[in-house]
Amino acid sequence: MYACKNGHLAIVKTLIDSGDTKILNKVDRNGWTGLHVACHSGRLDVVKLLVDQMDNKQMNINVTTNDRDNALFYAIQHEEMAKVLLQTGKLDLENMQGVSDFVKDPDGSIVFNFKRAGATYFVKMDSPTVVTSIQRL
């Protein structure tokens, strides 16, 4: 967690390469994973590294904290970081806390609102893996 919070990429890589296939799903006493910590700390480089290893290490991007917050909750205020998470196409947006007015059109495009700590963001996606815009309302 410390390495994810402080952006120590070499340490994060070493931990990922340790052979523990469940390392990316480990949680602390508050239910936070390294991905939650990296998003909360604004560590885009760490988030990218973790997401790149998601399939290899069977990372569950939908893990929620004890407060039911997911990584997107912490990333949404950082547009590029939110895009990295959204563009995986693996977030369970329809069932996610904070998501409202979710619409998936027949052409695959998606729009929804995401509420976080008093702020609302409008997200538009051309497909489940292509983010068009994230706008704070």
Side-chain angles (χ1 to χ4, degrees):
M1 301 289 175
Y2 177 84
C4 291
K5 178 181 180 180
N6 293 293
H8 298 298
L9 275 178
I11 295 171
V12 174
K13 285 179 187 176
T14 299
L15 290 169
I16 289 171
D17 294 338
S18 72
D20 182 354
T21 57
K22 297 184 182 185
I23 190 124
L24 299 182
N25 292 318
K26 291 191 187 257
V27 296
D28 67 10
R29 62 185 165 85
N30 297 310
W32 288 48
T33 64
L35 183 62
H36 289 103
V37 172
C39 290
H40 183 265
S41 301
R43 299 293 182 176
L44 179 60
D45 51 351
V46 175
V47 170
K48 285 181 177 179
L49 176 64
L50 295 174
V51 167
D52 285 345
Q53 295 298 314
M54 186 167 49
D55 290 331
N56 261 4
K57 297 294 181 174
Q58 302 162 5
M59 181 178 78
N60 180 357
I61 196 168
N62 291 296
V63 169
T64 57
T65 66
N66 295 351
D67 293 328
R68 298 183 49 225
D69 297 326
N70 55 52
L72 185 61
F73 178 85
Y74 301 104
I76 194 72
Q77 63 192 2
H78 309 284
E79 184 175 345
E80 288 306 309
M81 190 178 299
K83 284 182 178 181
V84 168
L85 297 179
L86 289 162
Q87 291 177 162
T88 66
K90 296 188 178 189
L91 287 170
D92 185 10
L93 296 170
E94 290 181 79
N95 299 304
M96 186 177 289
Q97 177 174 289
V99 171
S100 64
D101 304 319
F102 181 91
V103 176
K104 185 172 185 178
D105 288 326
D107 67 359
S109 63
I110 298 168
V111 294
F112 63 93
N113 289 326
F114 189 83
K115 293 180 183 168
R116 180 207 189 275
T120 301
Y121 296 83
F122 175 73
V123 179
K124 183 176 180 188
M125 302 175 71
D126 284 345
S127 74
T129 59
V130 178
V131 177
T132 309
S133 64
I134 299 173
Q135 179 183 10
R136 185 174 177 168
L137 302 178

